Amino acid sequence: MKTILFFILIFNSQYMSKRIGVAVVGLGSIGKTHVKALKDLEKETEFVKLVAVVDQIKSIAEKIGSEYGTPYYTTIDEVLRNSEVDVISIATPSYLHAPQAILAIEYGKHVIVEKPMATTLAGAREMVSRAERNEVKLGVIFQERYAPDIRRLKNDILKELGRIYLIESELKWYRDMKGYYKRDEIARSWRGMWNTEGGGVMTNQGIHTIDLMIWLNGEVEEVSGFVDNLTHDGIEVEDTAVAIMRYKNGALGTISQTVSMKPTTYQYRKIRVNGSNGFVEITDGSLSTVAIEGKIEESKSSVEYKKETIAQPGNLHKELLRDFLRALSEDNDFPINGKEGMKSLEVIKAVYLSSVNRQVVKLPLDVRIVV
């Protein structure tokens, strides 16, 4: 019996000491953020190892691979055959998320994917069902949930607000044609088109805000909205959107989003949560106002507007990736899983459907509906 226990302990020790091998697919600005975060985690933890990087442009893959001392590939097919790869981190253009995730899942790899997890609900649903069938984990990157002030709101302040009756959100950013949608050959190949981007400001930029609105107050029952392209000639998708939604708990929510903000030095993103005891405002991820009856009020003297909103700090990505990989190492659930990632995508698709049909749309949607 002692001999058997000894070998069990040795086996478990070896299993627990094995680092989880991660490969990053897509080495644009966000993919580089993934690579740096994973390399930092490799140094900071005992359960993470960056084992490969992938990009279809060989010079980019070679450069990043050399910079981080990591093998590089130019196709996802090659890296999936690498037995050291346990996890695929997907940071490619949106239309590739679902097919690449499904391919990786069929190879038995775990997947963490950038938002939107897919350009269609059918694609997202297929990712979820394939992951369940193959018994692998599927996570979606909504790193804004890791902002310290947003976590403070979620974990501590919300319960002091009383009954939440209204959540308001605004995203006022700017994206220009030359420097963003038509910046280079790759950008021109997918940005600004329904088939490849899946949507505009709501799907690409505003989805984080909608995810937070759901995370803070629960699932949505119905939506009504309008979307349009008002200032960006040369692209198909919306640059401006407004919507109203009713939560399952009866609260209402408002959404106002645009990438047409001028002057561009006044860009900002805001969520205001109104409750029976007071309200809280989050501006660009930080608490700007906390006003609750009978409590000390906190308020910043002025809003710090942004001049640039494309580059995002990588610290939140790192914390999310840490949690996902820790969940794998300990065989625990990761809270931002595929089903969770579908919730904001479904709300956005419902807004698109409402705008087209000029009617209130109830959730859940039929995933076969393509909008």
Side-chain angles (χ1 to χ4, degrees):
M1 179 64 71
K2 289 183 178 179
T3 302
I4 293 173
L5 289 173
F6 173 77
F7 281 109
I8 290 174
L9 289 171
I10 291 295
F11 175 80
N12 285 341
S13 174
Q14 290 175 341
Y15 179 78
M16 292 300 292
S17 64
K18 179 184 180 298
R19 287 179 178 260
I20 298 169
V22 187
V24 177
V25 180
L27 301 175
S29 58
I30 295 298
K32 291 172 186 174
T33 297
H34 287 214
V35 172
K36 183 181 186 307
L38 289 163
K39 201 63 180 178
D40 288 346
L41 289 173
E42 184 178 308
K43 298 173 184 176
E44 297 172 12
T45 73
E46 296 180 351
F47 56 86
V48 179
K49 183 178 182 181
L50 177 68
V51 295
V53 294
V54 186
D55 197 275
Q56 64 177 339
I57 300 176
K58 183 178 179 181
S59 60
I60 293 176
E62 187 174 23
K63 179 178 183 297
I64 299 298
S66 175
E67 182 179 347
Y68 288 93
T70 302
Y72 71 89
Y73 299 86
T74 56
T75 70
I76 189 173
D77 306 73
E78 293 177 289
V79 79
L80 289 173
R81 291 193 288 268
N82 184 337
S83 61
E84 291 186 18
V85 175
D86 303 301
V87 177
I88 296 292
S89 180
I90 298 176
T92 50
S94 301
Y95 69 97
L96 294 173
H97 291 179
Q100 289 181 336
I102 290 168
L103 180 62
I105 288 167
E106 288 302 322
Y107 269 85
K109 311 297 185 183
H110 304 284
V111 172
I112 183 79
V113 60
E114 272 291 343
K115 58 75 191 168
M117 62 185 291
T119 56
T120 66
L121 283 176
R125 173 59 66 192
E126 189 65 22
M127 291 163 67
V128 171
S129 63
R130 295 286 187 110
E132 290 175 348
R133 188 184 313 157
N134 288 275
E135 298 183 342
V136 298
K137 292 191 187 299
L138 169 64
V140 184
I141 293 180
F142 283 114
Q143 77 278 2
E144 300 297 330
R145 294 191 187 191
Y146 283 79
D149 277 1
I150 291 174
R151 292 218 149 188
R152 181 186 166 200
L153 170 59
K154 170 73 173 178
N155 298 328
D156 301 322
I157 300 175
L158 271 183
K159 57 180 173 285
E160 299 182 5
L161 291 177
R163 180 176 181 268
I164 305 302
Y165 63 88
L166 176 64
I167 298 184
E168 306 161 274
S169 73
E170 295 178 73
L171 181 142
K172 304 297 171 63
W173 283 359
Y174 182 73
R175 296 291 182 267
D176 71 323
M177 293 299 299
K178 184 178 179 180
Y180 183 74
Y181 292 104
K182 308 294 184 183
R183 183 181 64 194
D184 53 30
E185 293 88 345
I186 293 177
R188 291 195 296 271
S189 74
W190 72 280
R191 283 182 176 160
M193 292 178 284
W194 286 106
N195 285 339
T196 49
E197 194 170 16
V201 60
M202 296 192 80
T203 298
N204 200 325
Q205 291 81 24
I207 193 169
H208 285 294
T209 301
I210 295 168
D211 172 69
L212 291 178
M213 294 178 75
I214 297 169
W215 189 51
L216 291 171
N217 198 50
E219 295 185 22
V220 176
E221 184 175 77
E222 57 185 359
V223 305
S224 178
F226 293 98
V227 302
D228 209 338
N229 181 341
L230 300 174
T231 69
H232 288 77
D233 293 336
I235 65 171
E236 300 171 355
V237 297
E238 88 281 0
D239 59 24
T240 304
V242 294
I244 301 170
M245 60 191 195
R246 184 186 300 277
Y247 289 90
K248 285 186 176 180
N249 62 15
L252 298 179
T254 65
I255 299 167
S256 173
Q257 300 182 345
T258 187
V259 284
S260 301
M261 184 68 178
K262 289 288 189 76
T264 59
T265 51
Y266 283 82
Q267 298 180 65
Y268 69 93
R269 179 177 51 186
K270 181 182 292 186
I271 297 176
R272 178 169 174 154
V273 183
N274 300 275
S276 55
N277 295 333
F279 72 91
V280 175
E281 278 188 355
I282 292 278
T283 304
D284 292 318
S286 299
L287 283 166
S288 50
T289 304
V290 178
I292 303 173
E293 284 188 335
K295 302 286 184 179
I296 297 175
E297 295 186 6
E298 303 175 32
S299 183
K300 290 185 177 180
S301 58
S302 62
V303 174
E304 296 179 3
Y305 293 106
K306 304 288 185 181
K307 296 181 180 179
E308 195 275 323
T309 54
I310 295 178
Q312 300 294 319
N315 58 312
L316 301 183
H317 274 81
K318 185 171 80 169
E319 294 312 309
L320 183 148
L321 289 167
R322 187 200 304 272
D323 270 8
F324 180 74
L325 295 168
R326 182 187 287 116
L328 279 181
S329 70
E330 298 174 356
D331 195 25
N332 292 328
D333 292 333
F334 179 63
I336 317 177
N337 54 34
K339 289 181 179 178
E340 189 71 9
M342 281 188 68
K343 292 178 181 177
S344 52
L345 184 62
E346 184 177 41
V347 167
I348 291 167
K349 295 299 184 182
V351 173
Y352 293 160
L353 194 60
S354 173
S355 184
V356 169
N357 293 338
R358 298 296 195 264
Q359 64 182 20
V360 175
V361 174
K362 293 185 178 297
L363 278 61
L365 292 180
D366 183 339
V367 297
R368 295 169 297 179
I369 296 175
V370 179
V371 289

